[in-house]
Amino acid sequence: MRELTVELGERSYPIYIGQGILNDITALFDRAKLSRKSPLLVVTDSEVAPLHLERVMALLRAGGFNATSCVVPAGETSKSLSQLEGIVTSALQAGLDRSSAIVALGGGVVGDLAGFAAASFMRGIRFVQIPTTILAHDSSVGGKVAVNHPMAKNIIGAFHQPELVLFDIDLLLTLPPRQVKAGLSEVIKHGLIWDAAFTQWCDDNTEKLLSLDPEALGYALYIGCKVKSIVVSQDERENDLRAILNLGHTIGHALEAVAGYGELLHGEAISIGMVGAAKLAQQFGYSEEIHEVTKGLFLKYGLPVSIPPHLDTDSIMSAMMHDKKFKEGTMVYIIPMEIGKVEIRKDVTVEQVRQIVELLKGRG
Amino acid sequence: MRELTVELGERSYPIYIGQGILNDITALFDRAKLSRKSPLLVVTDSEVAPLHLERVMALLRAGGFNATSCVVPAGETSKSLSQLEGIVTSALQAGLDRSSAIVALGGGVVGDLAGFAAASFMRGIRFVQIPTTILAHDSSVGGKVAVNHPMAKNIIGAFHQPELVLFDIDLLLTLPPRQVKAGLSEVIKHGLIWDAAFTQWCDDNTEKLLSLDPEALGYALYIGCKVKSIVVSQDERENDLRAILNLGHTIGHALEAVAGYGELLHGEAISIGMVGAAKLAQQFGYSEEIHEVTKGLFLKYGLPVSIPPHLDTDSIMSAMMHDKKFKEGTMVYIIPMEIGKVEIRKDVTVEQVRQIVELLKGRG
Ligand SMILES: NC(=O)c1ccc[n+]([C@@H]2O[C@H](COP(=O)([O-])OP(=O)(O)OC[C@H]3O[C@@H](n4cnc5c(N)ncnc54)[C@H](O)[C@@H]3O)[C@@H](O)[C@H]2O)c1
Ligand SMILES: NC(=O)c1ccc[n+]([C@@H]2O[C@H](COP(=O)([O-])OP(=O)(O)OC[C@H]3O[C@@H](n4cnc5c(N)ncnc54)[C@H](O)[C@@H]3O)[C@@H](O)[C@H]2O)c1
Ligand SMILES: [Zn+2]
Ligand SMILES: [Zn+2]
């Protein structure tokens, strides 16, 4: 078992990563001083429930925890106020009190939704993450929790740090291959922004990661969480440094919005975005090699590196302007300076980004 | 103009109280460093809007603030997730960003709802209170914001402190008499729990307060806010001391629930509850005078001191058990030890409370 601490003063918490560690759930909950008297609510989704819920509930009950569960439909649309209300209904029916905890068993959707429920139920109760996707290594660090509004993603939320994160590799073995790749996209991102050696390691261990080799996957999740936690520790409230986590996300978010959530998974959209940022780097005088390495890596992982041609450039640009707000024709953009190092630039123009979008459509 | 600071370290904020101080809104917003660039959203309700909204908007715009407004239906049912979603729609349409503020213009309902919107929009933006009810002196101190769930009041919320509170007596002059009395009930509570001299003052100034004499009302609101802010400063997260603010609320909440919100206003329900707590005090050996003074004061203010006989004792008791949770037949209860001083007792039995309920129904 690997262990790391997300350092946030009073709100610091541990992340445990390893194969089979779900068996230690009781001991880990005890270490976090979770209450056996007050009911626990486990929130999961309709795809994860048939695969893993029963086992989690059995372990908790065997350990003497008073656990109830609540299942939301799988998919991004569950990040809504109406699902939040449903979780609160379950919490009230189960008799949760101020010493209770909500446990998120699932991917980023369940983590964000259940996390916001924990942040707001009785003005904040304790929260535990048991991530079941690779992508959730990202959402399990940093305490951002939220639901969507029909007009905007993640717009209603809170910062609410978990008590602990329990990442059992065994839970990930049921992931469909497309979700595996998409999750690895964020893992690779953490290398690209912070750790050149890990980027090289990702290049050397592609096969292992794609086949969910437990040792390799455990290491990759550990480094991914570690990089994010270093960044978040230095900037909990997203004032400056945390922006570097958005490498590839400017174009990525716009692509997700235009394609309609679903056609492109988040990890797929940002792999295209990271290739775009690497291309943009050349215009600021950085080495061409950055683009080659980035693109090569995502290709190796079977992730998309160009924009599906049917997506309209104007629509992509306008989604981006909506998302980010250009100030006097320029925007904040994360640009790689070399592998493992990025900068936050404020002088990227709309015109430059449009050119990159065109390039990514194979027309540049 | 009276001014006091709610001392909460980094989250400290000023409360300004006075007649006509709305005219200083721009200066006060500037003092709090509210942004003129980022849009402001003023949230109010359908009864306050025709009375005061236009003037507030005109003053803000004249002061160079980019202000938009949003009106919710008057009444407790607006404290809902669906009204929250509506406010977020308005916020998105108005282009609010992370430097924006939400301004609550109204009573406790608008304060709690708009406050939770501010707490959760983009994971927390700035928040200003312009209370228009007397009762809102209470909700403007302490940072508790929330909406209701069909099964429970105030169950989905946050702690989110405002940047400032601007209490203009002139805005209160349109209040219907019943709302005036109900609001004064919480003001009197703040005397009963903390300040015997102020309780005497409330007895001496009944006429002035009921007729909304600006000087008297300004002073009463100042002391009410002051007492609450002292308590809250010592216990921001409601771990212990803050419980004393619940004098009269155990029975009060149960009465509101059983009567159906509306038949009894909150201030009316807790005046009955405070008379009950004073009666209970006798059983713990405290002076009978506490009950006489308390009851006399509420009678003088035209507030109810007994339970409407058609409300069923069993229903009241079961609402209370639902709300508070008796542990092994006893519950936490706030009991006056003398005027201006209360204690938090943990040994009050269900039977004792039932007897008090019976007494309050005039059958004891
Ligand atoms: N809070 C943050 O900091 C943060 C960071 C990144 C992403 N996110 C959010 O995370 C969400 C995306 O997360 P995600 O990719 O994990 O999506 P997800 O939770 O929707 O999971 C993807 C799909 O895989 C299924 N699934 C999950 N675990 C499985 C398993 N073990 N076996 C089989 N199927 C499984 C789910 O049911 C779902 O259909 C987005 O809403 C995004 O906004 C949040
Ligand atoms: N957050 C807290 O700490 C806290 C504390 C106490 C109460 N509360 C909440 O406050 C709410 C009750 O507050 P309230 O009594 O102010 O209720 P309210 O906001 O519903 O106002 C009462 C009525 O008076 C009307 N009104 C408001 N200002 C007016 C004015 N100036 N002129 C004419 N009419 C006016 C309103 O439209 C409403 O119909 C409850 O929801 C309660 O839970 C919160
Ligand atoms: Zn991402
Ligand atoms: Zn009250």
Side-chain angles (χ1 to χ4, degrees), chain A residues 135 138 186 189 228 245-247 249 253 256 266-267 270:
Chain A
L135 193 127
D138 187 17
E186 291 274 11
K189 181 198 80 181
K228 181 155 185 193
L245 298 168
N246 290 328
L247 177 68
H249 281 60
H253 282 154
E256 279 180 282
H266 178 70
I270 64 164

Side-chain angles (χ1 to χ4, degrees), chain A residues 126-273:
Chain A
R126 307 175 84 189
F127 171 46
V128 176
Q129 296 241 35
I130 306 183
T132 66
T133 66
I134 295 174
L135 193 127
H137 87 279
D138 187 17
S139 50
S140 66
V141 183
K144 282 187 173 186
V145 294
V147 297
N148 303 328
H149 178 280
M151 286 165 67
K153 223 175 109 80
N154 293 331
I155 201 77
I156 305 171
F159 286 93
H160 192 61
Q161 306 296 344
E163 302 296 319
L164 78 152
V165 177
L166 191 169
F167 226 134
D168 185 344
I169 305 296
D170 277 345
L171 295 177
L172 307 181
L173 302 180
T174 52
L175 276 173
R178 191 175 167 199
Q179 295 289 352
V180 170
K181 290 181 209 163
L184 290 172
S185 177
E186 291 274 11
V187 172
I188 294 167
K189 181 198 80 181
H190 288 121
L192 290 173
I193 63 173
W194 201 264
D195 189 337
F198 179 62
T199 307
Q200 183 59 52
W201 185 93
C202 288
D203 203 13
D204 297 339
N205 290 274
T206 313
E207 283 314 311
K208 285 190 180 169
L209 286 180
L210 287 174
S211 63
L212 301 175
D213 171 79
E215 176 50 31
L217 187 55
Y219 177 70
L221 291 172
Y222 174 77
I223 299 293
C225 290
K226 184 95 197 158
V227 168
K228 181 155 185 193
S229 91
I230 292 168
V231 173
V232 163
S233 296
Q234 290 177 34
D235 178 23
E236 186 178 1
R237 287 274 165 165
E238 196 165 18
N239 294 316
D240 37 58
L241 182 66
R242 201 160 164 163
I244 70 171
L245 298 168
N246 290 328
L247 177 68
H249 281 60
T250 306
I251 288 177
H253 282 154
L255 295 178
E256 279 180 282
V258 172
Y261 296 99
E263 178 182 338
L264 280 174
L265 297 178
H266 178 70
E268 294 166 349
I270 64 164
S271 72
I272 302 169

Side-chain angles (χ1 to χ4, degrees), chain A residues 22 42-59 69 71-72 74 105-107 110 130-133 168-177 179-180 212:
Chain A
L22 192 62
V42 178
V43 178
T44 191
D45 76 24
S46 55
E47 283 179 29
V48 177
L51 298 168
H52 304 295
L53 181 59
E54 204 175 317
R55 184 147 159 262
V56 169
M57 297 306 285
L59 286 166
S69 67
V71 180
V72 302
L105 173 69
V110 166
I130 306 183
T132 66
T133 66
D168 185 344
I169 305 296
D170 277 345
L171 295 177
L172 307 181
L173 302 180
T174 52
L175 276 173
Q179 295 289 352
V180 170
L212 301 175

Side-chain angles (χ1 to χ4, degrees), chain B residues 184 187-188 197-213 215-217 219-220 297 300-301:
Chain B
L184 290 171
V187 172
I188 295 168
F198 179 63
T199 305
Q200 184 58 53
W201 184 93
C202 287
D203 203 13
D204 297 339
N205 290 273
T206 312
E207 284 313 313
K208 285 190 179 171
L209 286 179
L210 287 174
S211 64
L212 300 176
D213 172 79
E215 177 49 29
L217 188 55
Y219 177 71
L297 198 53
K300 212 169 160 188
Y301 275 84

Side-chain angles (χ1 to χ4, degrees), chain A residues 80-82 84-86 88-90 92-93 95-98 112 116 119-124 143-146 148-152 154-159 237-239 322 325, chain B residues 80-82 84-86 88-90 92-93 95-98 112 116 119-124 143-146 148-152 154-159 237-239 322 325:
Chain A
S80 68
L81 287 176
S82 86
L84 173 72
E85 187 156 283
V88 172
T89 304
S90 300
L92 288 167
Q93 282 166 348
L96 266 68
D97 60 39
R98 287 172 65 180
D112 282 8
F116 186 49
S120 52
F121 183 71
M122 300 184 121
R123 299 192 180 83
K144 282 187 173 186
V145 294
N148 303 328
H149 178 280
M151 286 165 67
N154 293 331
I155 201 77
I156 305 171
F159 286 93
R237 287 274 165 165
E238 196 165 18
N239 294 316
H322 187 78
K325 294 204 180 65
Chain B
S80 67
L81 288 175
S82 85
L84 172 72
E85 186 156 284
V88 172
T89 305
S90 300
L92 288 168
Q93 282 166 347
L96 266 68
D97 60 39
R98 287 173 63 179
D112 282 8
F116 187 49
S120 52
F121 183 72
M122 299 184 118
R123 299 194 180 82
K144 281 187 173 186
V145 294
N148 303 328
H149 178 279
M151 286 165 68
N154 293 330
I155 201 77
I156 305 171
F159 286 94
R237 287 275 166 164
E238 195 165 19
N239 294 316
H322 187 77
K325 294 202 179 65

